Coordinates of all heavy atoms in Angstrom, one line a residue:
V197 N -30.2 2.9 7.3 CA -30.8 2.6 8.5 C -29.8 2.4 9.7 O -28.6 2.1 9.4 CB -31.5 1.2 8.4 CG1 -32.7 1.4 7.4 CG2 -30.6 0.1 8.0
P198 N -30.1 2.7 10.9 CA -29.2 2.5 12.0 C -28.7 1.1 12.0 O -29.5 0.1 11.8 CB -30.1 2.9 13.2 CG -31.1 3.8 12.7 CD -31.4 3.2 11.3
G199 N -27.5 0.9 12.4 CA -27.0 -0.5 12.5 C -26.4 -1.0 11.2 O -25.9 -2.2 11.2
S200 N -26.6 -0.3 10.2 CA -26.0 -0.8 8.8 C -24.5 -0.8 8.9 O -23.9 0.0 9.6 CB -26.5 0.2 7.7 OG -25.8 -0.1 6.5
V201 N -24.0 -1.8 8.1 CA -22.5 -1.9 8.0 C -21.9 -0.7 7.4 O -20.7 -0.4 7.6 CB -22.2 -3.2 7.2 CG1 -22.6 -3.0 5.7 CG2 -20.7 -3.5 7.3
L202 N -22.7 0.1 6.7 CA -22.2 1.3 6.1 C -21.4 2.2 7.2 O -20.4 2.7 6.9 CB -23.4 2.2 5.6 CG -23.2 3.6 5.3 CD1 -22.2 3.8 4.0 CD2 -24.5 4.4 4.9
W203 N -22.0 2.4 8.3 CA -21.5 3.3 9.3 C -20.1 2.8 9.8 O -19.2 3.5 10.0 CB -22.4 3.5 10.5 CG -23.8 3.9 10.0 CD1 -24.9 3.1 10.1 CD2 -24.2 5.1 9.3 NE1 -26.0 3.8 9.6 CE2 -25.6 5.0 9.0 CE3 -23.4 6.2 8.9 CZ2 -26.2 6.0 8.3 CZ3 -24.1 7.2 8.1 CH2 -25.5 7.1 7.9
R204 N -20.0 1.4 10.0 CA -18.7 0.9 10.5 C -17.7 1.0 9.4 O -16.5 1.3 9.6 CB -18.9 -0.5 10.9 CG -17.6 -1.2 11.3 CD -17.0 -0.5 12.5 NE -15.8 -1.2 13.0 CZ -14.8 -0.7 13.7 NH1 -14.8 0.6 13.9 NH2 -13.8 -1.4 14.2
R205 N -18.1 0.8 8.1 CA -17.2 0.9 7.1 C -16.6 2.3 6.9 O -15.4 2.5 6.8 CB -17.8 0.5 5.7 CG -16.8 0.8 4.5 CD -17.4 0.2 3.2 NE -18.7 0.8 2.8 CZ -18.9 2.0 2.3 NH1 -18.0 2.9 2.1 NH2 -20.2 2.3 1.9
L206 N -17.5 3.3 7.0 CA -17.0 4.7 6.9 C -16.1 5.1 8.1 O -15.2 5.8 7.9 CB -18.2 5.7 6.9 CG -19.1 5.6 5.6 CD1 -20.3 6.5 5.7 CD2 -18.2 6.1 4.4
E207 N -16.4 4.6 9.3 CA -15.6 4.8 10.4 C -14.2 4.3 10.2 O -13.2 5.0 10.5 CB -16.2 4.2 11.7 CG -15.4 4.3 12.9 CD -16.0 3.6 14.1 OE1 -16.9 2.8 13.9 OE2 -15.5 3.8 15.2
L208 N -14.1 3.1 9.7 CA -12.8 2.5 9.4 C -12.0 3.2 8.3 O -10.8 3.2 8.3 CB -12.9 1.0 9.1 CG -13.4 0.1 10.3 CD1 -13.6 -1.3 9.8 CD2 -12.3 0.1 11.4
Q209 N -12.8 3.6 7.3 CA -12.1 4.3 6.1 C -11.5 5.7 6.6 O -10.6 6.1 6.0 CB -13.1 4.5 5.0 CG -13.4 3.2 4.3 CD -14.4 3.6 3.2 OE1 -15.6 3.6 3.4 NE2 -13.9 3.7 2.0
G210 N -12.1 6.3 7.6 CA -11.6 7.6 8.0 C -11.7 8.6 6.9 O -12.7 8.8 6.2
S211 N -10.6 9.4 6.7 CA -10.7 10.5 5.7 C -10.0 10.1 4.4 O -9.5 11.0 3.6 CB -10.0 11.7 6.2 OG -8.6 11.4 6.5
T212 N -9.9 8.8 4.1 CA -9.2 8.4 2.8 C -10.2 7.5 2.1 O -11.0 6.7 2.7 CB -7.9 7.6 3.0 OG1 -8.1 6.4 3.8 CG2 -6.9 8.5 3.8
E213 N -10.0 7.5 0.8 CA -10.7 6.5 -0.1 C -9.6 5.8 -0.9 O -8.5 6.4 -1.2 CB -11.7 7.2 -1.1 CG -12.9 7.7 -0.5 CD -13.9 6.6 -0.1 OE1 -13.5 5.4 -0.2 OE2 -15.0 7.0 0.3
T214 N -9.9 4.5 -1.2 CA -8.9 3.7 -1.9 C -9.5 3.5 -3.3 O -10.6 3.2 -3.5 CB -8.7 2.3 -1.2 OG1 -8.3 2.6 0.2 CG2 -7.7 1.5 -1.9
L215 N -8.5 3.6 -4.3 CA -8.9 3.6 -5.7 C -8.0 2.7 -6.5 O -6.9 2.4 -6.1 CB -8.9 5.0 -6.3 CG -9.8 6.0 -5.7 CD1 -9.4 7.4 -6.2 CD2 -11.2 5.7 -6.1
C216 N -8.5 2.2 -7.6 CA -7.6 1.4 -8.6 C -8.1 1.7 -10.0 O -9.2 2.1 -10.2 CB -7.7 -0.1 -8.2 SG -9.3 -0.8 -8.5
W217 N -7.1 1.6 -10.9 CA -7.4 1.7 -12.3 C -7.9 0.4 -12.9 O -7.1 -0.6 -12.8 CB -6.2 2.2 -13.1 CG -5.8 3.6 -12.8 CD1 -4.8 4.1 -12.0 CD2 -6.5 4.8 -13.2 NE1 -4.8 5.5 -11.9 CE2 -5.8 5.9 -12.7 CE3 -7.6 5.1 -14.0 CZ2 -6.2 7.2 -13.0 CZ3 -8.0 6.4 -14.3 CH2 -7.3 7.5 -13.8

Side-chain angles (χ1 to χ4, degrees):
V197 296
S200 167
V201 66
L202 165 69
W203 309 114
R204 179 56 174 157
R205 173 172 59 76
L206 291 175
E207 179 184 11
L208 291 174
Q209 287 179 276
S211 63
T212 62
E213 287 287 7
T214 305
L215 299 167
C216 62
W217 289 105

